[in-house]
Amino acid sequence: MLRFLIRRTLGAVAILLIISAVTFFLFYAIPRNPALLACGKGVCTPEQLAVVERNLGIDQPVPVQYWEYMVGIFAGRDFPAGHCPAPCLGFSFRNNTPVLDTILDRLPTTVSLTIGGAVVFLTLGLALGMLAAWRQGGLLDKTMSSTSLVLSSMQIYFLGPLALAAVVYNTELLPQPRYEPFTEDPLAWFQGLLLPWLVLATIFTANYTRMARATLIEQLQEDHVRTARAKGMGPRTVFFRYAWRGSLIPIVTIFGIDLGSLFGGAMITEYTFALPGLGRLAVDSVTQSNLPMLMGVMLFAALMIVLFNIVVDACYALIDPRVRLA
Protein backbone atom coordinates (compact mmCIF):
# COMPACT_ATOMS: atom_id res chain seq x y z
CA MET A 1 0.00 0.00 0.00
CA LEU A 2 2.87 2.41 0.82
CA ARG A 3 4.53 1.83 -2.55
CA PHE A 4 1.17 2.38 -4.23
CA LEU A 5 0.77 5.78 -2.55
CA ILE A 6 4.39 6.78 -3.27
CA ARG A 7 3.88 6.11 -6.98
CA ARG A 8 0.70 8.19 -6.98
CA THR A 9 2.42 11.04 -5.12
CA LEU A 10 5.37 11.17 -7.55
CA GLY A 11 2.94 11.20 -10.45
CA ALA A 12 1.03 14.05 -8.80
CA VAL A 13 4.22 16.14 -8.47
CA ALA A 14 4.97 15.65 -12.16
CA ILE A 15 1.43 16.70 -13.09
CA LEU A 16 1.67 19.88 -11.01
CA LEU A 17 4.99 20.82 -12.65
CA ILE A 18 3.51 20.34 -16.12
CA ILE A 19 0.41 22.41 -15.27
CA SER A 20 2.52 25.23 -13.83
CA ALA A 21 4.76 25.36 -16.93
CA VAL A 22 1.87 25.27 -19.41
CA THR A 23 -0.09 27.96 -17.53
CA PHE A 24 2.95 30.21 -17.17
CA PHE A 25 3.99 30.11 -20.81
CA LEU A 26 0.45 30.29 -22.21
CA PHE A 27 -0.11 33.49 -20.24
CA TYR A 28 2.35 35.30 -22.46
CA ALA A 29 0.27 34.42 -25.51
CA ILE A 30 -2.31 36.95 -24.24
CA PRO A 31 -1.77 40.18 -26.23
CA ARG A 32 -1.94 42.43 -23.14
CA ASN A 33 0.90 43.94 -21.11
CA PRO A 34 0.12 43.70 -17.37
CA ALA A 35 2.64 46.48 -16.69
CA LEU A 36 0.71 48.79 -19.01
CA LEU A 37 -2.53 47.93 -17.22
CA ALA A 38 -0.93 48.61 -13.84
CA CYS A 39 0.72 51.84 -14.97
CA GLY A 40 -2.27 53.27 -16.79
CA LYS A 41 -2.84 53.17 -20.53
CA GLY A 42 -2.13 56.49 -22.23
CA VAL A 43 -0.50 58.13 -19.20
CA CYS A 44 2.58 55.93 -18.74
CA THR A 45 5.92 57.00 -20.20
CA PRO A 46 8.46 54.38 -21.35
CA GLU A 47 10.61 55.11 -18.29
CA GLN A 48 7.63 54.61 -15.94
CA LEU A 49 6.67 51.43 -17.80
CA ALA A 50 10.18 50.02 -17.31
CA VAL A 51 10.00 50.75 -13.57
CA VAL A 52 6.60 49.02 -13.30
CA GLU A 53 7.88 45.99 -15.22
CA ARG A 54 10.87 45.76 -12.87
CA ASN A 55 8.63 46.07 -9.81
CA LEU A 56 6.34 43.37 -11.16
CA GLY A 57 9.28 41.11 -11.98
CA ILE A 58 8.40 40.77 -15.66
CA ASP A 59 11.45 42.53 -17.12
CA GLN A 60 13.35 39.24 -17.44
CA PRO A 61 13.02 36.58 -20.18
CA VAL A 62 10.05 34.24 -19.68
CA PRO A 63 12.14 31.12 -18.82
CA VAL A 64 14.01 33.16 -16.17
CA GLN A 65 10.71 34.39 -14.72
CA TYR A 66 9.39 30.83 -14.54
CA TRP A 67 12.55 29.60 -12.81
CA GLU A 68 12.40 32.40 -10.24
CA TYR A 69 8.71 31.67 -9.69
CA MET A 70 9.33 27.96 -9.00
CA VAL A 71 12.30 28.76 -6.74
CA GLY A 72 10.11 31.17 -4.81
CA ILE A 73 7.60 28.42 -4.05
CA PHE A 74 10.26 26.43 -2.21
CA ALA A 75 12.67 29.14 -0.97
CA GLY A 76 10.79 32.45 -1.02
CA ARG A 77 11.54 35.62 -3.00
CA ASP A 78 12.30 39.30 -2.51
CA PHE A 79 10.03 41.85 -4.20
CA PRO A 80 9.92 45.65 -4.12
CA ALA A 81 6.76 45.21 -2.04
CA GLY A 82 8.71 43.13 0.51
CA HIS A 83 9.94 39.64 1.21
CA CYS A 84 7.64 36.79 0.26
CA PRO A 85 8.32 33.69 2.41
CA ALA A 86 7.95 30.17 1.06
CA PRO A 87 5.65 28.97 -0.31
CA CYS A 88 5.71 32.20 -2.29
CA LEU A 89 3.19 32.58 -5.09
CA GLY A 90 4.12 36.21 -5.68
CA PHE A 91 2.22 39.48 -5.36
CA SER A 92 -0.88 40.41 -7.32
CA PHE A 93 -0.27 42.65 -10.34
CA ARG A 94 -3.57 44.35 -9.60
CA ASN A 95 -3.42 45.41 -5.94
CA ASN A 96 0.08 44.35 -4.85
CA THR A 97 -1.24 41.92 -2.21
CA PRO A 98 0.23 38.46 -1.51
CA VAL A 99 -1.34 35.88 -3.80
CA LEU A 100 -1.33 33.16 -1.15
CA ASP A 101 -3.27 35.32 1.31
CA THR A 102 -5.95 36.07 -1.29
CA ILE A 103 -6.28 32.41 -2.26
CA LEU A 104 -6.53 31.24 1.34
CA ASP A 105 -9.23 33.85 1.90
CA ARG A 106 -11.26 32.55 -1.08
CA LEU A 107 -10.46 28.84 -0.65
CA PRO A 108 -13.07 28.03 2.08
CA THR A 109 -15.89 29.06 -0.26
CA THR A 110 -14.75 26.75 -3.05
CA VAL A 111 -13.98 23.86 -0.70
CA SER A 112 -17.37 24.18 0.99
CA LEU A 113 -19.15 24.29 -2.36
CA THR A 114 -17.21 21.36 -3.83
CA ILE A 115 -17.40 19.01 -0.84
CA GLY A 116 -21.02 19.92 -0.11
CA GLY A 117 -22.02 19.29 -3.71
CA ALA A 118 -20.18 15.95 -3.72
CA VAL A 119 -21.93 14.83 -0.54
CA VAL A 120 -25.33 15.77 -1.99
CA PHE A 121 -24.94 14.05 -5.35
CA LEU A 122 -23.29 10.93 -3.93
CA THR A 123 -26.00 10.54 -1.29
CA LEU A 124 -28.91 11.18 -3.63
CA GLY A 125 -27.41 9.47 -6.67
CA LEU A 126 -26.44 6.24 -4.94
CA ALA A 127 -29.69 6.07 -2.95
CA LEU A 128 -31.89 6.65 -5.99
CA GLY A 129 -29.85 4.22 -8.08
CA MET A 130 -30.17 1.60 -5.38
CA LEU A 131 -33.96 2.04 -5.26
CA ALA A 132 -34.20 1.84 -9.05
CA ALA A 133 -32.18 -1.39 -9.10
CA TRP A 134 -34.18 -2.82 -6.20
CA ARG A 135 -37.43 -2.18 -8.14
CA GLN A 136 -35.98 -3.05 -11.54
CA GLY A 137 -38.55 -2.78 -14.32
CA GLY A 138 -41.18 -1.16 -12.10
CA LEU A 139 -42.75 2.30 -12.27
CA LEU A 140 -40.20 3.78 -9.85
CA ASP A 141 -37.32 2.45 -11.94
CA LYS A 142 -38.74 3.83 -15.20
CA THR A 143 -39.51 7.22 -13.64
CA MET A 144 -36.02 7.61 -12.18
CA SER A 145 -34.35 6.49 -15.39
CA SER A 146 -36.32 8.97 -17.50
CA THR A 147 -35.84 11.83 -15.04
CA SER A 148 -32.10 11.24 -14.70
CA LEU A 149 -31.73 11.20 -18.48
CA VAL A 150 -33.36 14.64 -18.73
CA LEU A 151 -31.44 16.17 -15.79
CA SER A 152 -28.07 14.90 -17.03
CA SER A 153 -28.47 17.07 -20.14
CA MET A 154 -28.89 20.27 -18.09
CA GLN A 155 -26.16 22.88 -17.57
CA ILE A 156 -25.31 24.87 -14.44
CA TYR A 157 -25.54 28.26 -16.15
CA PHE A 158 -29.09 27.32 -17.23
CA LEU A 159 -30.29 25.76 -13.98
CA GLY A 160 -28.75 28.43 -11.74
CA PRO A 161 -30.84 31.42 -12.88
CA LEU A 162 -33.98 29.25 -12.99
CA ALA A 163 -33.39 28.08 -9.43
CA LEU A 164 -32.78 31.65 -8.25
CA ALA A 165 -36.00 32.83 -9.87
CA ALA A 166 -38.05 29.90 -8.55
CA VAL A 167 -36.95 29.53 -4.93
CA VAL A 168 -35.32 32.88 -4.07
CA TYR A 169 -36.95 35.77 -5.93
CA ASN A 170 -40.50 34.46 -6.50
CA THR A 171 -41.24 32.17 -3.54
CA GLU A 172 -38.47 33.17 -1.09
CA LEU A 173 -38.18 29.56 0.08
CA LEU A 174 -34.42 29.99 0.41
CA PRO A 175 -32.31 33.07 1.10
CA GLN A 176 -30.01 34.69 -1.44
CA PRO A 177 -26.96 32.41 -1.85
CA ARG A 178 -23.94 33.70 0.05
CA TYR A 179 -20.98 32.36 1.96
CA GLU A 180 -20.76 32.61 5.74
CA PRO A 181 -17.84 30.92 7.55
CA PHE A 182 -18.94 27.66 9.15
CA THR A 183 -17.13 28.51 12.37
CA GLU A 184 -19.09 31.76 12.77
CA ASP A 185 -22.62 30.62 11.90
CA PRO A 186 -23.16 26.99 10.81
CA LEU A 187 -26.85 27.55 10.03
CA ALA A 188 -26.18 30.58 7.82
CA TRP A 189 -23.36 28.64 6.12
CA PHE A 190 -25.77 25.79 5.33
CA GLN A 191 -28.65 27.99 4.18
CA GLY A 192 -26.43 30.20 2.04
CA LEU A 193 -24.89 27.26 0.15
CA LEU A 194 -27.88 24.91 -0.04
CA LEU A 195 -29.19 26.17 -3.38
CA PRO A 196 -25.72 26.18 -5.06
CA TRP A 197 -25.17 22.65 -3.73
CA LEU A 198 -28.44 21.44 -5.21
CA VAL A 199 -27.77 23.09 -8.58
CA LEU A 200 -24.20 21.79 -8.72
CA ALA A 201 -25.32 18.30 -7.68
CA THR A 202 -28.26 18.03 -10.09
CA ILE A 203 -26.30 16.89 -13.14
CA PHE A 204 -23.99 14.61 -11.15
CA THR A 205 -26.93 13.11 -9.21
CA ALA A 206 -28.60 12.11 -12.48
CA ASN A 207 -25.40 10.48 -13.77
CA TYR A 208 -24.71 8.59 -10.55
CA THR A 209 -28.31 7.39 -10.33
CA ARG A 210 -27.99 5.76 -13.73
CA MET A 211 -24.51 4.45 -12.96
CA ALA A 212 -25.47 2.97 -9.59
CA ARG A 213 -28.53 1.31 -11.09
CA ALA A 214 -26.56 -0.22 -13.98
CA THR A 215 -23.71 -1.52 -11.81
CA LEU A 216 -26.08 -2.97 -9.21
CA ILE A 217 -28.12 -4.78 -11.84
CA GLU A 218 -24.89 -6.15 -13.31
CA GLN A 219 -23.67 -7.28 -9.89
CA LEU A 220 -26.95 -9.06 -9.20
CA GLN A 221 -26.17 -11.34 -12.16
CA GLU A 222 -22.68 -12.29 -10.93
CA ASP A 223 -21.88 -15.86 -9.89
CA HIS A 224 -21.07 -15.03 -6.26
CA VAL A 225 -24.46 -13.34 -5.87
CA ARG A 226 -26.23 -16.34 -7.36
CA THR A 227 -24.29 -18.59 -5.01
CA ALA A 228 -25.41 -16.49 -2.05
CA ARG A 229 -29.02 -16.87 -3.17
CA ALA A 230 -28.54 -20.62 -3.60
CA LYS A 231 -27.32 -20.86 0.00
CA GLY A 232 -30.66 -19.51 1.17
CA MET A 233 -29.63 -15.96 2.08
CA GLY A 234 -32.38 -13.37 2.12
CA PRO A 235 -32.84 -10.80 -0.65
CA ARG A 236 -31.74 -7.89 1.57
CA THR A 237 -28.56 -9.67 2.67
CA VAL A 238 -27.66 -10.60 -0.91
CA PHE A 239 -28.39 -7.07 -2.15
CA PHE A 240 -26.48 -5.09 0.47
CA ARG A 241 -23.73 -7.50 1.49
CA TYR A 242 -22.70 -8.84 -1.90
CA ALA A 243 -24.10 -6.80 -4.80
CA TRP A 244 -23.81 -3.33 -3.23
CA ARG A 245 -20.15 -3.62 -2.25
CA GLY A 246 -19.15 -4.93 -5.67
CA SER A 247 -20.97 -2.07 -7.39
CA LEU A 248 -18.90 0.53 -5.50
CA ILE A 249 -15.67 -0.26 -7.37
CA PRO A 250 -16.61 1.32 -10.74
CA ILE A 251 -18.44 4.16 -8.94
CA VAL A 252 -15.32 5.09 -6.95
CA THR A 253 -13.30 5.01 -10.17
CA ILE A 254 -15.69 7.35 -11.98
CA PHE A 255 -15.85 9.62 -8.94
CA GLY A 256 -12.08 10.13 -9.14
CA ILE A 257 -12.41 11.09 -12.81
CA ASP A 258 -15.35 13.41 -12.09
CA LEU A 259 -13.46 15.43 -9.46
CA GLY A 260 -11.97 17.66 -12.11
CA SER A 261 -15.41 18.27 -13.62
CA LEU A 262 -16.80 18.88 -10.14
CA PHE A 263 -14.22 21.56 -9.42
CA GLY A 264 -14.86 23.18 -12.78
CA GLY A 265 -18.57 23.06 -12.09
CA ALA A 266 -17.96 24.71 -8.73
CA MET A 267 -16.20 27.60 -10.50
CA ILE A 268 -19.18 28.10 -12.84
CA THR A 269 -21.57 27.85 -9.88
CA GLU A 270 -19.60 30.51 -7.99
CA TYR A 271 -19.89 32.89 -10.90
CA THR A 272 -23.60 32.13 -11.35
CA PHE A 273 -24.44 32.80 -7.70
CA ALA A 274 -21.83 35.56 -7.15
CA LEU A 275 -19.96 33.58 -4.50
CA PRO A 276 -16.44 34.83 -3.62
CA GLY A 277 -14.50 31.68 -4.43
CA LEU A 278 -11.55 30.63 -6.55
CA GLY A 279 -13.70 30.43 -9.68
CA ARG A 280 -14.49 34.12 -9.73
CA LEU A 281 -10.91 34.88 -8.75
CA ALA A 282 -9.60 32.88 -11.73
CA VAL A 283 -11.91 34.66 -14.20
CA ASP A 284 -10.98 38.07 -12.81
CA SER A 285 -7.28 37.16 -13.03
CA VAL A 286 -7.60 36.33 -16.72
CA THR A 287 -9.47 39.53 -17.57
CA GLN A 288 -6.96 41.61 -15.58
CA SER A 289 -3.86 39.80 -16.98
CA ASN A 290 -2.88 39.05 -13.39
CA LEU A 291 -0.35 36.24 -13.87
CA PRO A 292 0.66 35.60 -10.22
CA MET A 293 -2.98 35.31 -9.14
CA LEU A 294 -3.87 33.13 -12.12
CA MET A 295 -0.87 30.87 -11.48
CA GLY A 296 -1.74 30.58 -7.81
CA VAL A 297 -5.38 29.66 -8.52
CA MET A 298 -4.41 27.11 -11.16
CA LEU A 299 -1.84 25.45 -8.91
CA PHE A 300 -4.26 25.33 -5.99
CA ALA A 301 -7.01 23.90 -8.19
CA ALA A 302 -4.65 21.28 -9.62
CA LEU A 303 -3.36 20.44 -6.13
CA MET A 304 -6.88 19.90 -4.81
CA ILE A 305 -7.82 17.67 -7.73
CA VAL A 306 -4.60 15.65 -7.41
CA LEU A 307 -5.05 15.21 -3.65
CA PHE A 308 -8.66 14.12 -4.10
CA ASN A 309 -7.55 11.60 -6.74
CA ILE A 310 -4.88 10.19 -4.43
CA VAL A 311 -7.52 9.72 -1.72
CA VAL A 312 -9.86 8.07 -4.24
CA ASP A 313 -7.03 5.80 -5.45
CA ALA A 314 -6.34 4.79 -1.85
CA CYS A 315 -10.02 4.01 -1.30
CA TYR A 316 -10.11 2.06 -4.54
CA ALA A 317 -7.08 0.07 -3.43
CA LEU A 318 -8.78 -0.74 -0.12
CA ILE A 319 -11.94 -1.91 -1.88
CA ASP A 320 -10.11 -3.97 -4.52
CA PRO A 321 -6.80 -5.52 -3.30
CA ARG A 322 -5.82 -6.32 -6.88
CA VAL A 323 -5.09 -2.61 -7.46
CA ARG A 324 -2.44 -2.23 -4.74
CA LEU A 325 -0.90 -5.60 -5.56
CA ALA A 326 -0.58 -4.93 -9.28
Side-chain angles (χ1 to χ4, degrees):
M1 185 66 175
L2 181 59
R3 294 178 60 187
F4 176 82
L5 293 177
I6 291 175
R7 290 199 305 269
R8 289 294 186 269
T9 302
L10 292 177
V13 172
I15 291 173
L16 291 175
L17 288 175
I18 293 173
I19 291 175
S20 67
V22 171
T23 304
F24 198 97
F25 287 97
L26 281 180
F27 174 84
Y28 287 92
I30 301 176
R32 301 176 69 181
N33 188 349
L36 188 60
L37 295 176
C39 186
K41 187 175 181 180
V43 297
C44 189
T45 65
E47 293 77 13
Q48 291 173 325
L49 184 63
V51 172
V52 173
E53 289 179 344
R54 184 168 61 253
N55 291 338
L56 295 179
I58 58 175
D59 57 334
Q60 300 292 328
V62 177
V64 175
Q65 293 183 47
Y66 177 70
W67 172 255
E68 291 180 350
Y69 181 86
M70 296 306 296
V71 170
I73 294 178
F74 298 98
R77 291 178 65 184
D78 290 319
F79 291 88
H83 178 70
C84 179
C88 175
L89 299 178
F91 286 84
S92 170
F93 286 173
R94 191 69 176 180
N95 50 24
N96 210 29
T97 57
V99 170
L100 185 59
D101 292 347
T102 305
I103 290 177
L104 292 179
D105 183 60
R106 300 286 190 97
L107 186 61
T109 303
T110 302
V111 171
S112 297
L113 186 59
T114 303
I115 295 179
V119 170
V120 171
F121 77 68
L122 283 176
T123 302
L124 292 178
L126 297 184
L128 294 176
M130 181 178 62
L131 289 175
W134 181 263
R135 299 295 182 182
Q136 180 184 356
L139 178 61
L140 181 63
D141 179 24
K142 294 179 181 179
T143 301
M144 288 184 179
S145 299
S146 302
T147 304
S148 63
L149 185 62
V150 173
L151 292 179
S152 63
S153 63
M154 298 291 182
Q155 297 296 327
I156 294 173
Y157 53 79
F158 173 76
L159 288 175
L162 289 181
L164 282 172
V167 302
V168 176
Y169 302 137
N170 294 336
T171 61
E172 297 183 353
L173 294 176
L174 290 175
Q176 177 72 29
R178 66 188 187 280
Y179 176 76
E180 294 288 343
F182 178 82
T183 55
E184 295 180 5
D185 192 341
L187 181 59
W189 171 81
F190 178 81
Q191 291 177 338
L193 293 178
L194 180 58
L195 184 59
W197 284 342
L198 294 176
V199 171
L200 177 60
T202 297
I203 300 172
F204 291 95
T205 298
N207 292 334
Y208 277 78
T209 297
R210 297 165 57 195
M211 189 189 315
R213 174 189 178 275
T215 54
L216 270 170
I217 291 176
E218 182 181 354
Q219 284 294 314
L220 289 171
Q221 307 302 320
E222 293 291 334
D223 291 339
H224 68 282
V225 176
R226 294 177 179 177
T227 303
R229 288 200 190 101
K231 290 182 178 180
M233 295 183 179
R236 294 179 183 274
T237 302
V238 172
F239 188 87
F240 290 102
R241 184 175 179 180
Y242 293 93
W244 177 243
R245 181 178 180 181
S247 69
L248 290 178
I249 296 176
I251 291 175
V252 169
T253 304
I254 299 300
F255 177 66
I257 298 174
D258 281 344
L259 284 174
S261 301
L262 178 63
F263 194 84
M267 289 186 170
I268 299 175
T269 307
E270 288 172 9
Y271 215 80
T272 302
F273 292 100
L275 296 173
L278 294 181
R280 291 187 64 191
L281 186 61
V283 175
D284 293 341
S285 300
V286 173
T287 57
Q288 297 168 1
S289 296
N290 195 346
L291 175 60
M293 194 65 71
L294 178 61
M295 283 288 297
V297 173
M298 293 298 295
L299 286 177
F300 252 83
L303 179 62
M304 289 176 62
I305 294 173
V306 166
L307 289 178
F308 275 130
N309 274 276
I310 291 176
V311 173
V312 170
D313 286 342
C315 294
Y316 190 32
L318 291 175
I319 295 174
D320 189 355
R322 293 172 298 180
V323 175
R324 61 177 181 268
L325 296 176

